[in-house]
Amino acid sequence: MATSASACLSKVVKQRYMELPQGDKVQAMYIWIDGTGEGLRCKTRTLDSEPKSIEDLPEWNFDGSSTYQSEGSNSDMYLIPAAMFRDPFRRDPNKLVLCEVMKYNHKPTETNLRLACNKVMEMVKDQHPWFGMEQEYTILGTDGHPFGWPSNGFPGPQGPYYCGVGADKAYGRDIVEAHYKACLYAGVDICGTNAEVMPAQWEFQVGPTEGIKMGDHLWVARFILHRVCEDFGVVASFDPKPIQGNWNGAGCHTNFSTKEMREEGGLKAIEESIERLGKRHHYHIRAYDPKGGLDNARRLTGRHETSNIHEFSAGVANRGASIRIPRSVGQEQKGYFEDRRPSANCDPYAVTEALIRTCLLAEEGEEPTEY
């Protein structure tokens, strides 16, 4: 399996420099979503003191013509700090700073979906919307071959790998453990992890997280995963169907509830939301992957624990449905529901915004309402 040349550099030598004192200065790594809507970029600046809040962080800029976000003749883009986390790679007092991207005229870029999402979240904040997103991903070599798979063949069929234990069942656990600890250190609301159905496929869960924080925390968790994989010389793929054939795809199942749903008798509100979702299936399919449904079409086939992309369905404990109501929710008559349609490479801002618009703002039709 191919690994990156950087992974062969001595980490022991690097550590000698990482342990040098830095005085009162702080390194702030600014992170943003590039023009693909999937890729992440970053760069670092020095601050004179440790920032205590977002307000302490200065705006910055970058060359958007090199990130698919502008033309070279007018390439300055603005980085607006939106969320701050501890840096698990450089450690305290250094920071990770998730940013929104604005154009030269201070309007959001096409892939800055946070601004619109935050506006919608503010409209329903009194309903306390909670989200939990289950991020699946596949570990690949730098040649695109799944980690641990035979170079000229396939591993045994699916069955023993989900939540598996043992060198012949769990491929790449070191990466998973490192990522989990790094997220906890950073302050990401990571709540669990497990091996998935396809070998070299894993999942981590973020939540329950309220409002706009869901998107912030998932994007930073993804960034941390990419950086951890970089250190190990491998690649984290969020492709919804990385391997064709009789292998599971990768999704980002999204669990959703409101204060009303979590209280006694909340099942009625859950059922009302599901009814609204059923009438707006195609709008959600377009919002649930960065290519307007084209990526998800490879995954949502009605096989491998998925629903069919062209049909809406819901059921209790049914992992082949668009919407699953957990059995415990059916028994307790309150709780949450799981939307199983979002793809692994979805933008969580787009997914959570769509759920709010349909379930809480009761929007109808194929286009979002302007407010």
Side-chain angles (χ1 to χ4, degrees):
M1 187 197 70
T3 57
S4 70
S6 297
C8 300
L9 297 174
S10 173
K11 307 303 179 187
V12 175
V13 172
K14 173 191 172 186
Q15 194 59 29
R16 288 164 49 189
Y17 300 99
M18 296 301 290
E19 292 172 353
L20 291 173
Q22 60 188 61
D24 294 329
K25 303 292 186 180
V26 170
Q27 291 173 288
M29 181 176 284
Y30 281 46
I31 304 162
W32 69 97
I33 302 161
D34 69 17
T36 67
E38 300 179 62
L40 287 164
R41 307 293 179 112
C42 66
K43 64 176 186 173
T44 301
R45 67 182 298 165
T46 303
L47 304 177
D48 290 331
S49 60
E50 182 178 0
K52 302 301 181 185
S53 68
I54 285 295
E55 289 70 32
D56 296 335
L57 293 161
E59 294 182 9
W60 206 7
N61 57 66
F62 68 95
D63 169 19
S65 68
S66 299
T67 61
Y68 315 115
Q69 288 170 296
S70 72
E71 297 179 357
S73 59
N74 190 10
S75 64
D76 275 3
M77 312 291 281
Y78 295 100
L79 292 172
I80 313 299
M84 183 170 66
F85 297 80
R86 298 168 71 195
D87 187 337
F89 305 102
R90 295 165 172 156
R91 302 194 180 185
D92 290 338
N94 304 302
K95 305 297 181 187
L96 301 180
V97 182
L98 182 66
C99 300
E100 289 190 26
V101 180
M102 299 292 184
K103 299 178 182 178
Y104 68 94
N105 55 6
H106 286 278
K107 292 185 177 180
T109 59
E110 286 72 15
T111 55
N112 176 3
L113 305 185
R114 187 183 189 277
L115 197 69
C117 179
N118 197 30
K119 182 178 181 180
V120 168
M121 292 298 175
E122 284 296 309
M123 293 172 65
V124 299
K125 63 183 179 182
D126 60 326
Q127 298 188 53
H128 300 285
W130 288 4
F131 302 93
M133 300 187 79
E134 306 169 23
Q135 177 68 70
E136 293 179 331
Y137 63 95
T138 309
I139 303 174
L140 307 176
T142 53
D143 57 359
H145 195 70
F147 180 83
W149 285 35
S151 57
N152 294 310
F154 298 91
Q158 296 181 154
Y161 309 108
Y162 174 70
C163 298
V165 179
D168 59 340
K169 299 179 183 68
Y171 298 10
R173 192 185 295 276
D174 284 353
I175 292 163
V176 176
E177 294 294 339
H179 173 250
Y180 202 152
K181 279 294 182 72
C183 283
L184 289 173
Y185 181 94
V188 171
D189 289 341
I190 189 169
C191 63
T193 189
N194 59 269
E196 267 303 333
V197 177
M198 187 180 83
Q201 185 186 72
W202 294 81
E203 174 183 298
F204 64 87
Q205 302 93 30
V206 175
T209 303
E210 187 166 328
I212 195 66
K213 285 178 60 183
M214 181 67 253
D216 294 346
H217 282 240
L218 189 65
W219 273 116
V220 171
R222 286 175 175 177
F223 173 81
I224 291 172
L225 178 62
H226 284 308
R227 276 287 289 107
V228 168
C229 285
E230 182 183 321
D231 283 348
F232 282 98
V234 295
V235 176
S237 170
F238 297 112
D239 189 293
K241 188 69 175 180
I243 305 297
Q244 296 303 309
N246 195 25
W247 304 99
N248 273 35
C252 193
H253 304 156
T254 301
N255 302 278
F256 174 62
S257 71
T258 62
K259 186 173 184 289
E260 183 183 7
M261 294 177 191
R262 296 187 293 269
E263 292 176 342
E264 293 299 323
L267 185 61
K268 183 175 183 294
I270 291 172
E271 290 172 340
E272 289 172 352
S273 288
I274 293 173
E275 185 177 350
R276 291 185 184 126
L277 289 168
K279 296 175 181 177
R280 220 178 183 207
H281 177 62
H282 297 296
Y283 163 74
H284 282 264
I285 289 297
R286 291 204 315 274
Y288 283 2
D289 82 47
K291 295 183 178 65
L294 293 177
D295 276 348
N296 241 345
R298 294 184 285 122
R299 167 181 162 259
L300 296 179
T301 61
R303 300 180 64 218
H304 305 113
E305 300 181 53
T306 70
S307 58
N308 188 294
I309 193 169
H310 302 295
E311 302 168 359
F312 180 85
S313 57
V316 176
N318 183 359
R319 284 178 164 77
S322 308
I323 305 294
R324 179 180 72 94
I325 299 175
R327 192 171 301 282
S328 61
V329 173
Q331 293 169 345
E332 297 174 11
Q333 300 286 292
K334 63 178 180 179
Y336 67 98
F337 66 84
E338 175 192 49
D339 192 333
R340 298 178 60 82
R341 295 172 294 175
S343 65
N345 62 344
C346 70
D347 188 321
Y349 297 128
V351 172
T352 56
E353 178 186 339
L355 284 167
I356 295 297
R357 285 180 177 275
T358 301
C359 297
L360 303 189
L361 298 179
E363 291 184 14
E364 299 178 348
E366 296 301 311
E367 298 299 328
T369 302
E370 292 285 339
Y371 295 104

